[in-house]
Coordinates of all heavy atoms in Angstrom, one line a residue:
G8 N 3.1 5.9 -7.4 CA 2.1 6.7 -8.1 C 2.3 8.2 -8.1 O 1.6 8.9 -8.9
N9 N 3.3 8.7 -7.4 CA 3.5 10.1 -7.2 C 5.0 10.4 -7.4 O 5.8 10.0 -6.5 CB 3.0 10.6 -5.9 CG 3.1 12.1 -5.7 OD1 3.6 12.8 -6.5 ND2 2.6 12.5 -4.5
P10 N 5.4 11.0 -8.5 CA 6.8 11.3 -8.6 C 7.4 12.2 -7.5 O 8.6 12.0 -7.2 CB 6.9 12.0 -10.0 CG 5.6 11.8 -10.6 CD 4.6 11.5 -9.6
R11 N 6.6 13.1 -7.0 CA 7.1 13.9 -5.8 C 7.4 13.0 -4.6 O 8.4 13.3 -3.9 CB 6.0 14.9 -5.5 CG 6.5 15.9 -4.4 CD 5.5 17.0 -4.3 NE 5.7 17.7 -3.0 CZ 5.0 17.6 -2.0 NH1 3.9 16.9 -2.0 NH2 5.3 18.3 -0.9
A12 N 6.6 12.0 -4.4 CA 6.8 11.1 -3.3 C 8.1 10.3 -3.5 O 8.8 10.0 -2.5 CB 5.6 10.2 -3.1
V13 N 8.4 9.9 -4.7 CA 9.6 9.2 -5.0 C 10.8 10.1 -4.7 O 11.8 9.6 -4.1 CB 9.6 8.7 -6.5 CG1 11.0 8.1 -6.8 CG2 8.5 7.7 -6.7
L14 N 10.7 11.3 -5.2 CA 11.8 12.3 -4.9 C 12.0 12.5 -3.4 O 13.1 12.6 -2.9 CB 11.6 13.6 -5.6 CG 12.6 14.6 -5.5 CD1 13.9 14.1 -6.1 CD2 12.2 15.9 -6.2
S15 N 10.9 12.6 -2.7 CA 11.0 12.8 -1.2 C 11.6 11.6 -0.6 O 12.3 11.7 0.4 CB 9.6 13.0 -0.6 OG 9.1 14.3 -1.0
S16 N 11.3 10.4 -1.1 CA 11.8 9.2 -0.5 C 13.3 9.1 -0.7 O 14.1 8.7 0.2 CB 11.2 7.9 -1.1 OG 9.8 7.9 -0.8
V17 N 13.8 9.5 -1.9 CA 15.2 9.6 -2.2 C 15.9 10.6 -1.3 O 17.0 10.3 -0.7 CB 15.5 9.9 -3.7 CG1 16.9 10.2 -3.9 CG2 15.0 8.7 -4.5
Q18 N 15.2 11.7 -1.1 CA 15.8 12.7 -0.2 C 15.9 12.2 1.3 O 16.9 12.5 2.0 CB 14.9 14.0 -0.2 CG 15.5 15.1 0.6 CD 14.7 16.4 0.4 OE1 13.6 16.4 -0.1 NE2 15.2 17.5 0.9
I19 N 14.9 11.5 1.7 CA 14.9 11.0 3.1 C 16.0 10.0 3.2 O 16.7 10.0 4.2 CB 13.5 10.3 3.4 CG1 12.4 11.4 3.6 CG2 13.6 9.4 4.6 CD1 11.0 10.9 3.6
A20 N 16.2 9.1 2.2 CA 17.3 8.2 2.3 C 18.6 8.9 2.3 O 19.5 8.5 3.0 CB 17.2 7.2 1.0
A21 N 18.8 9.9 1.5 CA 20.1 10.7 1.5 C 20.3 11.3 2.9 O 21.4 11.4 3.4 CB 20.1 11.7 0.4
L22 N 19.3 11.9 3.5 CA 19.4 12.5 4.8 C 19.8 11.5 5.8 O 20.6 11.8 6.7 CB 18.1 13.3 5.2 CG 17.9 14.6 4.5 CD1 16.5 15.1 4.7 CD2 18.9 15.6 4.9
L23 N 19.1 10.3 5.8 CA 19.5 9.3 6.7 C 20.9 8.8 6.6 O 21.6 8.6 7.6 CB 18.5 8.1 6.6 CG 17.2 8.2 7.2 CD1 16.3 7.1 6.8 CD2 17.2 8.4 8.7
A24 N 21.4 8.7 5.3 CA 22.8 8.3 5.1 C 23.7 9.4 5.6 O 24.7 9.1 6.2 CB 23.0 8.1 3.6
A25 N 23.4 10.7 5.4 CA 24.3 11.7 5.9 C 24.3 11.8 7.4 O 25.4 12.0 8.0 CB 23.8 13.1 5.3
T26 N 23.2 11.5 8.0 CA 23.1 11.5 9.5 C 24.0 10.3 10.0 O 24.7 10.5 10.9 CB 21.7 11.3 9.9 OG1 20.9 12.4 9.4 CG2 21.6 11.3 11.5
G27 N 23.9 9.2 9.4 CA 24.7 8.0 9.8 C 26.1 8.3 9.6 O 27.0 7.9 10.4
L28 N 26.5 8.9 8.5 CA 27.9 9.2 8.2 C 28.5 10.2 9.2 O 29.7 10.1 9.6 CB 28.1 9.7 6.8 CG 27.9 8.6 5.7 CD1 28.0 9.3 4.3 CD2 29.0 7.6 5.8
L29 N 27.7 11.1 9.7 CA 28.1 12.1 10.7 C 28.2 11.4 12.1 O 29.2 11.7 12.8 CB 27.1 13.3 10.8 CG 27.4 14.4 9.9 CD1 26.3 15.4 10.1 CD2 28.7 15.1 10.2
L30 N 27.3 10.5 12.4 CA 27.3 9.9 13.7 C 28.3 8.7 13.9 O 28.7 8.5 15.0 CB 25.9 9.5 14.1 CG 24.9 10.6 14.5 CD1 23.6 10.0 14.8 CD2 25.5 11.4 15.7
Y31 N 28.6 8.1 12.8 CA 29.4 6.9 12.9 C 30.7 7.1 13.6 O 31.1 6.4 14.5 CB 29.6 6.2 11.5 CG 30.5 5.0 11.6 CD1 30.1 3.8 12.0 CD2 31.9 5.1 11.2 CE1 30.9 2.7 12.1 CE2 32.7 4.0 11.2 CZ 32.2 2.8 11.7 OH 33.0 1.8 11.8
P32 N 31.5 8.1 13.2 CA 32.8 8.3 13.9 C 32.6 8.8 15.3 O 33.5 8.5 16.2 CB 33.5 9.4 13.0 CG 32.5 10.0 12.1 CD 31.4 9.0 12.0
V33 N 31.6 9.5 15.6 CA 31.3 10.0 16.9 C 31.0 8.8 17.9 O 31.5 8.7 19.0 CB 30.2 11.0 17.0 CG1 29.8 11.4 18.4 CG2 30.6 12.3 16.2
V34 N 30.2 7.9 17.4 CA 29.8 6.7 18.2 C 31.0 5.7 18.3 O 31.3 5.2 19.4 CB 28.6 6.1 17.6 CG1 28.3 4.7 18.3 CG2 27.4 7.0 17.7
T35 N 31.7 5.4 17.2 CA 32.7 4.4 17.3 C 34.1 4.8 17.8 O 34.8 4.1 18.3 CB 32.8 3.7 15.9 OG1 33.2 4.8 14.9 CG2 31.6 3.1 15.4
H36 N 34.4 6.1 17.5 CA 35.7 6.6 17.9 C 35.6 8.0 18.5 O 36.3 8.9 18.2 CB 36.6 6.7 16.6 CG 36.7 5.5 15.8 ND1 37.4 4.4 16.3 CD2 36.2 5.1 14.6 CE1 37.3 3.4 15.4 NE2 36.6 3.9 14.4
A37 N 34.8 8.1 19.5 CA 34.5 9.4 20.1 C 35.8 10.0 20.7 O 35.9 11.3 20.7 CB 33.4 9.3 21.2
E38 N 36.7 9.2 21.2 CA 37.9 9.8 21.9 C 38.8 10.4 20.8 O 39.7 11.2 21.2 CB 38.6 8.7 22.7 CG 39.2 7.6 21.9 CD 38.2 6.5 21.5 OE1 37.0 6.5 22.0 OE2 38.6 5.6 20.7
N39 N 38.7 10.0 19.6 CA 39.6 10.5 18.5 C 38.9 11.6 17.7 O 39.6 12.2 16.8 CB 40.0 9.4 17.6 CG 40.8 8.3 18.3 OD1 41.5 8.6 19.3 ND2 40.7 7.1 17.8
V40 N 37.7 12.0 18.0 CA 37.0 13.0 17.1 C 37.0 14.3 17.8 O 36.6 14.4 19.0 CB 35.5 12.5 16.9 CG1 34.7 13.5 16.1 CG2 35.5 11.2 16.1

Side-chain angles (χ1 to χ4, degrees):
N9 184 356
R11 184 173 165 251
V13 173
L14 184 61
S15 292
S16 300
V17 170
Q18 184 177 11
I19 289 168
L22 285 168
L23 283 174
T26 303
L28 289 172
L29 273 175
L30 285 178
Y31 177 76
V33 173
V34 171
T35 58
H36 307 290
E38 66 279 352
N39 297 331
V40 176

